């Protein structure tokens, strides 16, 4: 019997059961999303405690302080302020470098997508840029640009640039040939094809590149901080200082804060990608 033929009482009961089922399904979905990561986190913390309190001898416990000792660092006002200020300095470098890498990467990829000879001329240098050991280039950057914000931003751009170039180029070249032929049959200009066909098609790949470059920009900013310690201190400088002084709780706290900052930027660009293309593309 269909719902429209049910007696009013049965229909009301059916609607009530549906209303009760939906929250239960949402709860199950939340558990499915958050349950596995939280279970892995609990396992990691358990192994951490086991190694710190059981495996390591008390006089060697500074190598891996227990989690509660690390968390106690955030209760110390001086350490908390130092970490917070250093994180803000590193965040400024990472965000600036990421914005520059996105702009250069998209423009570079668009140029290569417009002609094969441009791609053959420029793409090898993108690969070379990705293959250069950044630690070998960092001293040169310090010689040329000093040891403060500009030098750290350049390191950040060098590390974060290649994913934007490669992902954007892949997206621009993924346009269906029949769609391109349809535009050409209508007499569309190259600019019209780029703005109305190629670039919208490439958006999922562009946002995927942004997520990768976002994480790499944090790595680049910390690498710059670690080596350029003469300028404004960042989280990398703080990590180097704590490491040299064997302040392992503060060192672990700084590393955790750095990792969380990278996760926040990664999640933000994932959210931004879903907002931009999630309605017509399954953006993970």
């Amino acid at each position: 019997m269909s719902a429209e033929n049910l007696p009013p009482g049965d229909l009301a009961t059916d609607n009530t059961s549906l209303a009760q089922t939906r929250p239960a399904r949402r709860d199950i979905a939340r558990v499915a999303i958050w349950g596995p990561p939280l279970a892995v986190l609990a396992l990691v913390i358990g192994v951490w405690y086991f190694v710190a309190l059981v495996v390591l001898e008390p006089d060697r416990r500074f190598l891996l302080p227990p989690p509660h000792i690390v968390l106690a660092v955030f209760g110390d006002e001086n350490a908390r302020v130092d970490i917070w200020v250093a994180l803000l300095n590193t965040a400024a470098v990472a965000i600036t470098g990421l914005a520059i890498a996105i702009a250069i990467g998209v423009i570079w990829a668009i140029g290569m997508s417009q002609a094969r000879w441009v791609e053959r001329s420029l793409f090898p240098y993108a690969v070379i840029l990705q293959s250069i050991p950044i630690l070998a280039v960092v001293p040169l950057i310090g010689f040329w640009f000093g040891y403060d914000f500009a030098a750290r931003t350049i390191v950040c751009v060098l590390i974060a640039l290649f994913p934007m170039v490669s992902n954007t180029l892949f997206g621009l070249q993924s346009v269906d040939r029949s769609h391109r032929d349809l535009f050409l049959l209508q007499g569309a200009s190259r600019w019209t094809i780029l703005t109305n066909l190629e670039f919208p098609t490439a958006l999922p790949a562009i946002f995927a590149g942004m997520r990768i470059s976002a994480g790499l920009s944090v790595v680049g900013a910390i690498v710059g901080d670690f080596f350029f310690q003469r300028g404004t201190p960042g989280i990398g400088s703080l990590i180097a200082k704590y490491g040299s002084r064997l302040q392992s709780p503060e060192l672990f706290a700084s590393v955790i804060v750095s990792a969380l900052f990278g996760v926040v930027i990664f999640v933000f660009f994932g959210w931004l990608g879903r907002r931009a293309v999630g309605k017509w593309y399954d953006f993970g």
Side-chain angles (χ1 to χ4, degrees), residues 6 26 81 91 109 130 141 189 243 259:
L6 287 173
R26 285 196 294 267
V81 170
Q130 173 70 10
I141 295 174
S189 65

Side-chain angles (χ1 to χ4, degrees), residues 1-251:
M1 183 181 294
S2 62
E4 56 190 16
N5 295 325
L6 287 173
D10 293 343
L11 185 59
T13 302
D14 188 58
N15 289 336
T16 302
S17 62
L18 286 174
Q20 294 174 348
T21 303
R22 287 169 185 166
R25 290 177 178 175
R26 285 196 294 267
D27 293 339
I28 294 174
R30 291 193 190 99
V31 172
I33 293 173
W34 294 103
L38 293 177
V40 173
L41 177 62
L43 178 63
V44 169
I45 293 176
V47 172
W48 186 350
Y49 266 114
F50 177 78
V51 174
L53 300 179
V54 178
V55 176
L56 293 177
E57 298 177 359
D59 58 342
R60 296 176 57 83
R61 205 159 286 169
F62 70 93
L63 297 173
L64 186 66
H68 66 276
I69 300 296
V70 175
L71 292 178
V73 172
F74 299 104
D76 184 350
E77 183 176 357
N78 292 330
R80 185 172 65 247
V81 170
D82 288 344
I83 293 174
W84 176 249
V85 172
L87 178 63
L88 290 179
N89 294 332
T90 299
V93 173
I95 294 172
T96 304
L98 177 61
I100 296 174
I102 290 173
I104 295 176
V106 170
I107 294 172
W108 191 344
I110 289 175
M112 290 191 294
S113 70
Q114 298 307 298
R116 286 291 182 183
W117 68 268
V118 178
E119 180 182 354
R120 288 194 297 268
S121 300
L122 297 181
F123 193 74
Y125 294 99
V127 176
I128 291 173
L129 185 66
Q130 173 70 10
S131 304
I132 295 176
I134 192 63
L135 297 182
V137 181
V138 165
L140 294 176
I141 295 174
F143 293 155
W144 295 336
F145 301 99
Y147 298 91
D148 212 334
F149 188 86
R152 298 175 186 183
T153 302
I154 291 172
V155 173
C156 185
V157 172
L158 291 177
I159 292 180
L161 181 58
F162 184 77
M164 284 305 309
V165 176
S166 59
N167 280 50
T168 303
L169 181 62
F170 170 78
L172 293 171
Q173 294 178 340
S174 298
V175 176
D176 189 270
R177 183 177 295 274
S178 61
H179 294 168
R180 191 189 302 274
D181 292 341
L182 180 62
F183 271 71
L184 292 174
L185 287 173
Q186 298 298 322
S189 65
R190 181 171 292 183
W191 175 255
T192 301
I193 294 175
L194 173 64
T195 56
N196 292 278
L197 176 62
E198 293 177 343
F199 197 77
T201 303
L203 278 178
I206 291 173
F207 278 105
M210 286 182 184
R211 289 202 296 181
I212 299 172
S213 294
L216 292 177
S217 69
V218 178
V219 174
I222 293 175
V223 169
D225 290 337
F226 195 87
F227 282 92
F228 302 144
Q229 299 186 27
R230 301 184 192 176
T232 305
I235 198 74
S237 303
L238 208 60
I239 289 173
K241 184 182 76 172
Y242 289 147
S244 64
R245 297 179 180 179
L246 297 180
Q247 295 176 271
S248 55
E250 290 81 1
L251 176 62

Side-chain angles (χ1 to χ4, degrees), residues 254-269:
S254 301
V255 171
I256 290 173
V257 168
S258 303
L260 291 177
F261 175 61
V263 171
V264 167
I265 292 186
F266 182 87
V267 171
F268 170 76
F269 278 98

